[in-house]
Structure formats: C-alpha cells, structure tokens
C-alpha cells in the first residue's frame, strides 16, 4: 500500500474513523492522515516516502527521538529473553528506582499500561482512602477515557465537540464536579458544598492546548485539599519528564499526594504508573483492599524501553535547558511568522512542551482556549504538513521537542511557518 488515501480507505473499513485513537483521524484539520512507515531521530516517514519533522513524537513519549539506539538495543535484548511472564521481574524495580530517584518525594509506584488506567486507579485510590465519592476536575483537562473523567474533557473529546461523552452513566458523572482552571474560587465553591475525595489536575495542562497553572493556583489547591482532607492528584502523564526532569513538579514548590505518569516512562512502549507516599499506595491490593490489576502491567520489554529512556535522560547533561531553548526559539519563530502575516497568535512553552493558540490574548483556562480560531489552525496545520512539518492535528493539544529535534529542524520549521501563516491569514 503506497498511498495514504488508499490506506485510509482500507482502514476506514476496519476501524471506526479508520483509527485506533480519534485525534489521529485529522477530523478537525481535514485531509488524509499520513500512514507512518518508520521513524528515525527527529523525523517520521509515511508510506509514500514523504519525510516530516515530527513535533508530536507519539503524543509525548519519544523525548529522545525515534528508534533511539540504546532504547532499541534494550528492547531487542530483553525481548529475546521472553516477552512477558505475569510475574515479578527486577526490571520493574529498576524502572521504579529511576522514577523515584527523580521524583524524590514519592515512596512507591504501581505500573499499569496506559495513562487512562493510571488516573482511573488514582481516583479509585483517593475515593477508597477517603471514603468519599465526589471528585473535582477542571474543564479542558484530559485524563484518559475512564468514565468519571470524560466530563468536560480536553484533547480529542474537545476536538470532536464531545467533552462530555455519551455512554457515561449520569449516576457516576454527577460525582465529577467541574471547576475552572486557574480559578481558585471555582474550587472553593465546590469544597463548600461537597465532601470531596480528590482534586485531579494537569499541573501544566496540555490537552486544551498548553496552559500552565499559576503557582498561586496550585498553592491554593494544596491548601484547600489539606483543609478538607482531600487528596491532590497531579496528572503528569504528559508533563512528566517533559516540562523538566521532574516534570511540572520540578517547576512548582507545591507537592501532590499522588502523581500519575505515562508516555516518556515507557519510551514509546505501553507503560504508565501512579506514585505516592507509602501510606497511600499501600492501600492498594494486595496489601490494602483497593483493587487494581493488569495482565501486562510491568511488562519486561516495556520496562526495558523505559529504563533505557530515563537512563539517557539522567545522563544527558543540560537536556532540559537544550530542549527548552529550542521550544522557545520555535514558538518565537511562529510568533514572528504570525505577526508578518497579520495573524493573531499567542504562544507558550514549558521545557520540551510548546503550544500556540490562534487568538490574540493569553489563554489561562478552557473558555479562553475555546476562543481560538480553529479554522485558521486547520489551514496552518495543513500548510505546515505540506511543507514537511508534522504538528498535532488539533488546537487542543501540545507540541514537543525531542533530543533529536535539531536547531536546523527548528529553523526549517520556522521557515515553513512563514509560508503557512500566510495560508492561515
Ligand atoms: P493514555 O490512556 O492515552 O495512555 O493516557 C491518557 C492521558 C492521561 N493524562 C494526560 C494528561 C494525557 O495527556 C493523556 C493522553 N494524552 C493524549 C494526547 N493529548 C493521548 C493521545 C490520544 O488520545 O491518542
């Protein structure tokens, strides 16, 4: 199959929308999604042989770039010893040690296979230890597709206009209380009228576009949770090891009770986790009664990919300074291209994560993100793709810089942006 369109038509007969995750369908930007044949360093190549500078990196995991030699070597070597045992392996302990050596305030982790499972488990843990049903999430934050969290969610749910999904039982959804990002008063009002098990937040939101929480806001959430005996959950599935070595936690003085991880800790293979103090985590089965399980949790081959990735991160001096400088350069380049074309744009970055909104004003919450001109976004995205730059196909996502995203690639992407912004004007 050497043609994206033919491949897409075939896939549409096999999968709903031709994809196995909705945002991949390019629904909000139009056109045929490239079918990817391989990745190498900072680039991906589609089945038609076209090369793209990859700023999606599988939605975050590939911070080292594609097919990074030490990661591939570790995967191949481990796979040759067997793919899965459903039994303890030292590789799990080795990856846990690496995570806990960086997130030093955590005592224990539990591995699962997806970010959805990690956050779903974190909610169950919070509800179990507090004996309370109600949770607080923020409009525009996305925490995977478990029922309690598909309420006013971001990412693909927002992209396709279904932030609150049909099929989520009303009796469950009513326990998901909604607040506004960076608006502490909206959280205080909920605590005043409800017994709350936990507050779950992306401390740097990446699923309404890139929207960081203010330090004052995070500090206020911590104080509210302490005052009312609720747990604070930082969902760092995306920002973990991306915003800094210690993710968003490395950029704030506040500390949550539970952190969820994913993406980077698997280096491209299915690994996610939740971590916390021992007294909280030991409430999970088999020590505690709060049940959670998974056939492929801690899978040795996936562990090996995560170990190789985090080892490289630990050993690469000034990694995040380098990635942050490149993210800054790229977003400044987008901004100058927008100004030249007379297109309103606001940009931001945190570590290796970057975002841009087609709106003139700063974006601090979901309502402000929704003011973005998604039609302009679609024109920009299409023109960038035509110029060999692969960006997330939704205004409500975040872009990523990897170790393999060279300065030259950044400059080429900026040149493409000068063309693409004119198309969006
Ligand atoms: P997964 O179940 O997709 O592994 O993780 C869910 C999740 C949880 N928390 C945060 C903060 C996340 O960003 C995600 C997943 N991110 C999306 C991209 N915004 C994954 C891409 C997709 O849905 O295809």
């Amino acid at each position: 199959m050497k043609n994206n369109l033919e491949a897409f038509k075939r896939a549409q007969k096999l999968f709903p929308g031709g994809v196995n995750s909705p945002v991949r369908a390019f629904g909000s930007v139009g056109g045929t999604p490239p079918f990817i044949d391989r990745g190498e360093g900072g680039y991906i190549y589609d089945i038609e042989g076209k090369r793209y500078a990859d700023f999606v990196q599988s939605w975050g995991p590939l911070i080292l770039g594609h097919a990074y030699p030490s990661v591939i070597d570790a995967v191949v070597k481990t796979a040759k010893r067997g793919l899965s045992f459903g039994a303890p392996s030292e590789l799990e302990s080795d990856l846990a040690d690496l995570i806990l050596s960086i997130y030093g305030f955590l005592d224990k982790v539990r591995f699962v296979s997806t970010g959805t499972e990690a956050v779903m488990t974190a909610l169950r843990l919070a509800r179990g230890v507090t004996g309370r049903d109600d949770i607080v999430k923020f409009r525009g934050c996305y925490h995977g597709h478990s029922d309690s969290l598909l309420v006013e969610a971001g990412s693909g749910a927002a992209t396709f206009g279904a932030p609150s999904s049909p099929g989520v039982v009303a009796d469950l959804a009513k326990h998901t209380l909604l607040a506004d990002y960076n608006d502490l008063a909206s959280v205080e009002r909920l605590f005043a009228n409800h017994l709350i098990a936990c507050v779950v937040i992306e401390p740097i939101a990446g699923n309404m576009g890139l929207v960081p929480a203010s330090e004052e806001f995070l500090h206020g959430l911590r104080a509210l949770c302490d005052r009312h005996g609720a747990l604070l959950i930082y969902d760092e599935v995306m920002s973990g090891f991306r915003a800094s070595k210690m993710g968003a936690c490395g950029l704030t003085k506040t500390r949550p009770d539970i952190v969820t991880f994913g993406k980077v800790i698997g280096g491209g293979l299915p690994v996610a986790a939740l971590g916390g103090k021992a007294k909280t985590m030991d409430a999970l089965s088999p020590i505690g009664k709060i049940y959670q399980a998974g056939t492929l949790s801690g899978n040795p081959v996936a562990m090996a990919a995560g170990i190789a990735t985090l080892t490289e991160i630990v050993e690469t001096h000034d990694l995040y300074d380098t990635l942050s400088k490149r993210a800054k350069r790229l977003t400044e380049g987008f901004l100058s291209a927008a100004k030249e074309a007379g297109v309103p744009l606001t940009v931001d970055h945190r570590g290796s994560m970057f975002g841009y909104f087609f709106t003139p004003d700063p974006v601090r919450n979901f309502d402000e993100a929704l003011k973005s001109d998604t039609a302009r976004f679609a024109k920009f995205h299409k023109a960038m793709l035509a110029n060999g730059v692969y960006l997330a196909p939704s205004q409500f996502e975040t872009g990523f810089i990897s170790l393999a995203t060279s300065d030259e690639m950044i400059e080429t992407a900026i040149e493409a942006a000068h063309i693409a912004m004119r198309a969006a004007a």
Side-chain angles (χ1 to χ4, degrees):
M1 200 68 74
K2 293 296 173 211
N3 176 303
N4 290 318
L5 184 58
E6 290 310 311
F8 198 31
K9 284 179 182 168
R10 175 190 176 204
Q12 285 170 318
K13 295 189 186 96
L14 297 166
F15 314 116
V19 292
N20 287 298
S21 196
V23 283
R24 302 177 191 174
F26 274 39
S28 70
V29 295
T32 300
F35 276 61
I36 304 307
D37 176 51
R38 66 187 177 92
E40 194 179 316
Y43 295 98
I44 49 177
Y45 299 78
D46 72 13
I47 57 173
E48 295 177 4
K50 288 189 192 120
R51 186 185 78 166
Y52 305 92
D54 182 13
F55 291 93
V56 179
Q57 296 156 30
S58 185
W59 303 93
L62 301 167
I63 193 166
L64 302 178
H66 292 276
Y68 196 82
S70 64
V71 177
I72 300 301
D73 291 348
V75 165
V76 170
K77 177 169 160 260
T78 307
K80 285 177 175 172
R81 304 168 62 85
L83 297 180
S84 182
F85 312 114
S89 83
E90 289 246 75
L91 290 167
E92 296 160 86
S93 305
D94 294 342
L95 183 54
D97 274 341
L98 270 167
I99 293 168
L100 296 173
S101 70
I102 295 168
Y103 279 75
F105 64 95
L106 301 176
D107 294 335
K108 290 190 175 181
V109 296
R110 168 65 58 89
F111 286 122
V112 293
S113 298
T114 65
T116 293
E117 284 179 274
V119 186
M120 178 178 72
T121 304
L123 285 200
R124 187 177 308 133
L125 181 54
R127 284 168 159 158
V129 300
T130 62
R132 301 172 181 175
D133 295 338
D134 290 351
I135 67 143
V136 173
K137 82 171 283 289
F138 295 89
R139 288 186 183 84
C141 282
Y142 178 73
H143 304 285
H145 63 92
S146 65
D147 282 354
S148 283
L149 290 159
L150 274 185
V151 182
E152 288 277 336
S155 183
T159 303
F160 295 102
S164 302
S165 172
V168 174
V169 173
D171 276 353
L172 180 62
K174 73 185 180 188
H175 295 294
T176 299
L177 310 176
L178 291 166
D180 290 312
Y181 204 79
N182 281 319
D183 175 353
L184 195 62
S186 71
V187 189
E188 285 163 343
R189 285 192 293 273
L190 296 175
F191 270 100
N193 298 298
H194 299 269
L195 262 182
I196 289 167
C198 65
V199 173
V200 57
I201 187 169
E202 295 176 63
I204 297 175
N207 289 291
M208 50 177 120
L210 181 71
V211 182
S214 71
E215 179 67 8
E216 181 193 7
F217 178 58
L218 293 177
H219 183 79
L221 292 181
R222 180 68 272 170
L224 270 173
C225 287
D226 289 343
R227 196 178 315 141
H228 295 275
L231 271 61
L232 181 57
I233 301 170
Y234 280 0
D235 180 357
E236 289 231 63
V237 166
M238 183 190 291
S239 56
F241 307 96
R242 272 285 182 182
S244 79
K245 186 180 289 187
M246 191 169 62
C249 288
L251 303 179
T252 170
K253 292 186 183 61
T254 60
R255 289 291 175 260
D257 300 295
I258 297 173
V259 181
T260 54
F261 301 98
K263 298 181 193 273
V264 168
I265 68 166
L269 292 189
V271 181
L274 62 151
K277 296 290 189 196
K279 67 176 171 29
T280 304
M281 296 299 287
D282 285 348
L284 285 173
S285 180
I287 296 183
K289 296 193 182 322
I290 301 168
Y291 197 70
Q292 177 280 332
T295 302
L296 296 177
S297 297
N299 173 269
V301 181
M303 294 291 106
I307 292 163
T309 300
L310 293 197
T311 299
E312 204 66 34
I313 282 174
V314 167
E315 291 174 358
T316 304
H317 187 58
D318 282 345
L319 173 64
Y320 292 91
D321 285 350
T322 305
L323 299 181
S324 181
K325 284 191 183 93
R326 289 179 186 162
K328 184 173 189 296
R329 172 62 190 135
L330 182 74
T331 48
E332 284 173 351
F334 280 14
L335 207 49
S336 68
K339 282 199 176 93
E340 182 188 271
V343 171
L345 193 80
T346 184
V347 301
D348 204 346
H349 74 283
R350 287 292 183 281
S352 66
M353 302 164 72
F354 68 88
Y356 53 99
F357 289 98
F358 282 85
T359 177
D361 308 313
V363 176
R364 291 153 305 188
N365 58 49
F366 194 38
D367 284 343
E368 291 174 356
L370 289 173
K371 288 179 184 157
S372 308
D373 186 333
T374 51
R376 267 195 165 137
F377 177 91
K379 288 176 189 160
F380 176 73
H381 182 275
K382 195 180 183 80
M384 290 295 271
L385 194 68
N387 282 277
V389 179
Y390 192 85
L391 297 168
S394 163
Q395 172 65 87
F396 308 111
E397 294 290 354
T398 291
F400 301 98
I401 304 291
S402 80
L403 181 61
T405 313
S406 65
D407 292 328
E408 185 201 356
M409 288 173 70
I410 299 281
E411 295 311 314
T412 305
I414 291 169
E415 285 162 26
H418 281 271
I419 299 165
M421 281 297 174
R422 287 198 288 274

